[in-house]
Amino acid sequence: MNIHEYQAKQLLARHGVAVPAGDPCKTVDEARAVAERLFAAGHTLIVIKSQIHAGGRGKGTFTHGFQGGVKLAKSVDEAVNFAGNMLGKTLVTKQTGPEGRVVQTILIAAAEMIKKEFYLAVLLDRAASRPLIMASTEGGVDIEEVAAHTPEKIIRENVDPAVGLMPYQTRKIAAALGLKGDLFNQACKLIAAVYKTAWETDAALVEINPLCIVEGPGGKEAIVAVDAKIGLDDNALYRHTDIQAMRDLAEESPLEVEASKYALNYIKLDGNIACLVNGAGLAMSTMDIIKHFGGEPANFLDVGGGASKDQVAAAFRIILSDVAVKGILVNIFGGIMDCNVIATGIVEAVRETGLKLPLVVRLEGNNVAAGKKTLAESGLTIISGDSMSDAAQKVVKATRAA
Amino acid sequence: MAILVTPQTKILVQGITGSFGAKHAQLSLAYGSQVVAGVTPGKGGQLFEGKVPVFDTVSEAARQTGATASAIFVPPPFAADAILEAVDAGLDLVVCITEGIPVNDMVRVKRAMQGSKTRLIGPNCPGLVTPGEGPQSHGGCRIGIAPGYIHKKGHVGVVSRSGTLTYEAVWQLTCRGVGQSTCVGIGGDPVNGTSHLDVIKMFMADPETHGIIMIGEIGGAAEEEAAEWIGRFGTKPVAGFIAGATAPPGRRMGHAGAIVSGGKGTAQAKIDAFRKAGIGVAATPSEMADTLLRMM
């Protein structure tokens, strides 16, 4: 699960990470109040940031023509004008797709004078099966570019889960970032707090980019997390009710939300051949084989190992809600599950939804003869596929003809 | 000889009284596997199916029945504890079927298992099967949730991160009259007990295994690691398939570990590593068995 920047900063602040002063706002009135408070506190520049789960906000464009999802303001009036141009409006960035996202919340924060930018992240090192802290002097830029072109500028420090992050490790990182004196000590404290946030919230990723040395109102330098991104481990959400409440359904595809209600694993893609499969690996490779034979998959859909008739019916409704879909491929390897139960579910779903699109079904496994008989005797025009490649070729052909 | 388990391996089932555990314990018994004990805390003294004794603790079950392998079917919040209980009891093999264990729990489990003699397979895996000699491979050792009847005793080893894709490969082999030595599902999570490479090394060392099918998917670099080793030290033909070439980056494709992030873990990188190592790459999942058989 992903959360908004302002929520990530709330979690970080709760664990002792310094973040710029500011607050989220859902209305222009709230924005005015926050802006007034920040200027009254002595800040001379503030930033208004659209809160959506997609990158590229600063260079994004709103559908009503307003440029930029992140803006700097020197006065309350300026801030209020920006807030009015963002709240309730649709922001399109390179990551949102052409449909964009509606900005429901903005974050207004002090925009302190940035002296230097760093990168800091905590993530899982799969090869080591341990948490990894990644840091770099190259902050504020795309870290993948840094890793590709100047890998020596990336500092990597694994954490032993038996003892947790040790203070000497934070000192190693701070020294490698070239920090001295008070800033060195501040960085050590901040790195420890960022790691604590990641571990205690069961985050899959905590990324601070940029982490900045800023000059505060009194000319005093400090290290703060100017931007932050947190992705949570879905498997661990059950033990974090406070974080569950941060889920923003408006940021998720409505069909994916609907599918999750039926314990279906559905991801919408851009093609026109829908697929319904049991098992994640088989579902991925069904998409691949459609593409291999010249088609374009419309979705990933794993109905799980023990799919029920109700799940099959729900899966058909969800697939058919995607108007781009022009053909359907059902690929079931019923190892334990009874193919005839699946076949009955398919027949019922086809009747219920009045399906007109070409449907290719490949059934294999337990009680497959009875399943094929049920399909054949249903009187419905269901195309039978003998193997994955036979079924994929048939659905690609039928979709082209439709 | 096969790898990891033989038809004689004595199995205990942790979570045998839950509906999922009970169903698959029954199926393993029906397949002829030696399920000798169950463990459900608080239900010690009961009999499962009127014949398999249930114990409160793993160590008690192992001591009294001689079980050396465990299948874990407990819910995700209790799985880390269940794995470490089996390790503490000194079992040789622990197969964790449970899907949905928090990543940090597995990070701690793997650290705690360092230096122990126990091998963990999974979590979030279908388990493993060493087919038996009977009709439809009856009499083999089935630990987990794979359908037993699709197997056939023979000489191909199968290792995979995915359940149904493993069954697909096994069924293709069996339909062509080709049997399997052992089929191992290592699971779809980002942190697991046994890697592709661990299983590949065992297959290479097993005289009964003459060829290998390795099935991978997007995410991580475990397939690349195995491929590199095969390229240098492999002595038997290996065919492979990688799922997820069409998966969009940054999205988890069903399995928690199946994600391309930061440009890492792409299908193309894994396929390239396979080719470089001389592994036969199946262009589609329909060709996994044929790709290997052409090499043997």
Side-chain angles (χ1 to χ4, degrees):
Chain A
M1 183 181 94
N2 291 322
I3 56 175
H4 288 294
E5 174 197 358
Y6 77 92
Q7 295 166 323
K9 285 179 170 171
Q10 285 169 354
L11 289 177
L12 286 161
R14 205 181 290 168
H15 291 87
V17 178
V19 298
D23 271 310
C25 316
K26 288 190 180 295
T27 66
V28 173
D29 286 345
E30 283 174 23
R32 179 184 298 280
V34 174
E36 281 173 349
R37 185 162 52 73
L38 288 171
F39 284 118
H43 297 287
T44 53
L45 190 64
I46 63 174
V47 63
I48 296 91
K49 305 176 91 172
S50 302
Q51 299 294 291
I52 58 170
H53 290 186
R57 293 173 297 171
K59 289 182 182 147
T61 306
F62 287 88
T63 49
H64 67 293
F66 186 74
Q67 290 290 324
V70 177
K71 288 289 200 182
L72 290 166
K74 288 185 179 135
S75 69
V76 172
D77 286 345
E78 217 182 348
V80 166
N81 173 37
F82 291 148
N85 270 303
M86 293 180 188
L87 282 167
K89 305 295 195 291
T90 302
L91 177 60
V92 179
T93 79
K94 59 179 183 180
Q95 288 185 11
T96 60
E99 68 279 11
R101 301 271 175 83
V102 177
V103 177
Q104 312 273 7
T105 307
I106 53 174
L107 172 62
I108 301 192
E112 288 152 302
M113 167 83 83
I114 293 173
K115 307 284 290 271
K116 177 138 184 55
E117 296 180 311
F118 302 105
Y119 175 92
L120 178 67
V122 182
L123 64 162
L124 172 71
D125 179 348
R126 288 172 65 152
S129 298
R130 290 182 177 200
L132 172 71
I133 300 180
M134 263 175 63
S136 178
T137 51
E138 307 303 296
V141 296
D142 184 352
I143 198 67
E144 289 167 30
E145 292 289 312
V146 179
H149 299 114
T150 49
E152 72 281 1
K153 289 190 171 164
I154 301 211
I155 303 152
R156 300 166 65 93
E157 187 73 19
N158 275 115
V159 179
D160 180 343
V163 290
L165 179 68
M166 297 303 286
Y168 79 86
Q169 295 182 292
T170 66
R171 298 195 293 271
K172 264 171 83 180
I173 297 166
L177 290 174
L179 296 166
K180 300 278 179 211
D182 184 42
L183 288 175
F184 177 92
N185 289 330
Q186 281 188 41
C188 291
K189 191 168 155 256
L190 181 135
I191 292 163
V194 169
Y195 180 78
K196 192 166 174 238
T197 309
W199 184 258
E200 290 187 358
T201 62
D202 282 300
L205 172 74
V206 175
E207 191 178 51
I208 316 285
N209 191 20
L211 173 70
C212 297
I213 301 178
V214 297
E215 191 177 298
K220 187 174 156 30
E221 287 189 336
I223 294 193
V224 297
V226 167
D227 200 353
K229 182 176 161 185
I230 293 183
L232 286 315
D233 174 7
D234 292 344
N235 289 350
L237 282 175
Y238 73 87
R239 55 191 178 201
H240 301 287
T241 43
D242 56 331
I243 297 173
Q244 284 169 30
M246 291 181 170
R247 183 172 177 191
D248 184 351
L249 290 175
E251 288 287 338
E252 298 175 31
S253 144
L255 288 179
E256 294 179 17
V257 173
E258 181 67 13
S260 67
K261 290 180 194 160
Y262 296 92
L264 298 169
N265 215 322
Y266 172 88
I267 294 172
K268 190 181 163 345
L269 304 170
D270 296 331
N272 59 4
I273 301 177
C275 37
L276 187 164
V277 191
N278 66 326
L282 198 62
M284 267 188 274
S285 49
T286 302
M287 291 163 33
D288 297 345
I289 202 168
I290 288 170
K291 179 98 177 173
H292 179 83
F293 288 114
E296 288 292 336
N299 63 275
F300 168 92
L301 175 55
D302 171 12
V303 297
S308 66
K309 271 197 315 193
D310 289 348
Q311 278 179 306
V312 172
F316 265 91
R317 280 200 303 276
I318 288 159
I319 284 174
L320 293 173
S321 312
D322 177 354
V323 290
V325 168
K326 297 284 178 270
I328 301 172
L329 171 57
V330 174
N331 182 17
I332 300 288
F333 196 105
I336 304 294
M337 71 158 84
D338 186 330
C339 285
N340 197 31
V341 171
I342 293 292
T344 310
I346 294 168
V347 169
E348 278 180 23
V350 170
R351 290 213 173 105
E352 221 175 86
T353 54
L355 181 73
K356 299 278 186 293
L357 302 173
L359 169 65
V360 178
V361 177
R362 183 267 180 152
L363 279 181
E364 192 58 84
N366 191 14
N367 207 13
V368 66
K372 285 187 173 170
K373 191 157 171 263
T374 299
L375 294 179
E377 290 174 357
S378 67
L380 301 166
T381 40
I382 296 174
I383 306 165
S384 176
D386 293 329
S387 67
M388 270 179 87
S389 62
D390 180 50
Q393 290 175 67
K394 281 178 174 162
V395 77
V396 169
K397 196 172 157 212
T399 304
R400 282 213 185 111
Chain B
M1 169 57 211
I3 65 165
L4 293 162
V5 290
T6 69
Q8 288 74 44
T9 301
K10 289 183 177 172
I11 308 158
L12 64 83
V13 175
Q14 288 172 261
I16 198 166
T17 54
S19 61
F20 192 42
K23 176 182 171 181
H24 285 285
Q26 280 163 353
L27 287 168
S28 285
L29 285 166
Y31 187 62
S33 301
Q34 306 299 310
V35 178
V36 297
V39 177
T40 299
K43 296 199 175 169
Q46 297 183 4
L47 279 181
F48 174 75
E49 294 280 285
K51 56 184 169 189
V52 178
V54 177
F55 298 88
D56 287 320
T57 67
V58 176
S59 57
E60 206 182 340
R63 200 166 50 238
Q64 298 209 17
T65 65
T68 57
S70 168
I72 294 181
F73 287 94
V74 308
F78 315 110
D81 181 49
I83 295 169
L84 292 179
E85 184 184 359
V87 172
D88 176 69
L91 300 187
D92 296 329
L93 181 69
V94 177
V95 181
C96 185
I97 307 304
T98 308
E99 175 175 6
I101 304 176
V103 171
N104 282 352
D105 287 11
M106 284 311 302
V107 164
R108 276 191 295 216
V109 163
K110 273 206 89 167
R111 178 65 175 87
M113 283 183 72
Q114 270 181 16
S116 84
K117 66 164 196 143
T118 306
R119 171 165 293 286
L120 171 68
I121 306 265
N124 188 14
C125 77
L128 68 166
V129 174
T130 289
E133 313 245 13
Q136 293 189 326
S137 76
H138 187 271
C141 180
R142 169 190 186 269
I143 304 182
I145 59 174
Y149 70 91
I150 63 169
H151 295 81
K152 174 181 163 68
K153 187 171 167 57
H155 302 290
V156 173
V158 180
V159 56
S160 168
R161 270 160 76 181
S162 146
T164 39
L165 211 44
T166 312
Y167 314 157
E168 183 77 38
V170 169
W171 189 238
Q172 286 172 19
L173 289 166
T174 298
C175 287
R176 284 158 180 77
V178 178
Q180 305 89 40
S181 52
T182 302
C183 303
V184 187
I186 58 174
D189 273 7
V191 176
N192 57 12
T194 295
S195 67
H196 274 108
L197 178 56
D198 295 331
V199 180
I200 292 286
K201 284 179 178 170
M202 289 183 249
F203 280 141
M204 290 290 180
D206 171 35
E208 265 195 28
T209 300
H210 302 166
I212 301 164
I213 293 180
M214 170 163 63
I215 304 165
E217 61 194 36
I218 53 166
E223 291 86 353
E224 288 92 322
E225 178 197 43
E228 208 213 321
W229 187 91
I230 291 167
R232 294 172 64 187
F233 306 110
T235 51
K236 298 174 186 178
V238 182
F241 176 74
I242 299 290
T246 48
R251 298 299 308 266
R252 261 169 234 286
M253 308 305 286
H255 287 155
I259 180 168
V260 173
S261 57
K264 297 272 174 58
T266 63
Q268 195 55 51
K270 291 171 192 292
I271 291 167
D272 290 347
F274 276 15
R275 292 225 164 89
K276 200 175 155 208
I279 297 168
V281 177
T284 74
S286 282
E287 294 158 47
M288 292 186 287
D290 287 335
T291 304
L292 178 69
L293 297 179
R294 275 197 298 272
M295 299 171 72
M296 285 179 76

